[in-house]
Amino acid sequence: MTDHIRLLPCSAAAEGGKPAYLITDRHGGTVSRIADVTESVQLEMGERLLVHARGMLPSAPDGELRYLAVRLAESLQEVLRVAESRGERLSPLD
């Protein structure tokens, strides 16, 4: 059994927002399954936020644009973390 390090889709709040990792095997476990669900939710929320943003951008007041920009930045950060985590878990090409 080979252990793998997996970047989790959330940061370690107790460590000041540093990345949180899980040591697991290829089969995963309970925490891996929870991380998979969390990643799916984060991606879906990002997709919904993007659709919402596209609809409101042409006529949104400045305050709403700032709020939207903050939410989009948060979503982008989550999506990039998911991409990094999934990229690290890909098998090298032969």
Side-chain angles (χ1 to χ4, degrees):
M1 174 174 78
T2 304
D3 288 338
H4 299 278
I5 298 175
R6 175 183 179 163
L7 176 64
L8 293 175
C10 56
S11 59
E15 300 295 323
K18 293 181 182 176
Y21 294 90
L22 172 68
I23 298 174
T24 186
D25 61 17
R26 282 283 183 203
H27 303 291
T30 303
V31 176
S32 287
R33 286 189 294 278
I34 292 170
D36 290 341
V37 170
T38 301
E39 287 179 353
S40 294
V41 168
Q42 289 173 330
L43 293 173
E44 182 179 335
M45 289 175 63
E47 190 174 316
R48 288 182 181 189
L49 180 59
L50 182 57
V51 168
H52 177 70
R54 285 183 174 152
M56 73 177 286
L57 281 175
S59 61
D62 288 348
E64 289 182 23
L65 286 176
R66 281 189 293 278
Y67 180 80
L68 179 61
V70 170
R71 300 290 82 79
L72 286 169
E74 291 170 349
S75 181
L76 178 58
Q77 180 178 3
E78 291 174 350
V79 168
L80 290 174
R81 185 183 304 263
V82 170
E84 180 182 351
S85 176
R86 290 184 178 182
E88 289 174 356
R89 288 182 277 148
L90 292 175
S91 299
L93 297 175
D94 293 286

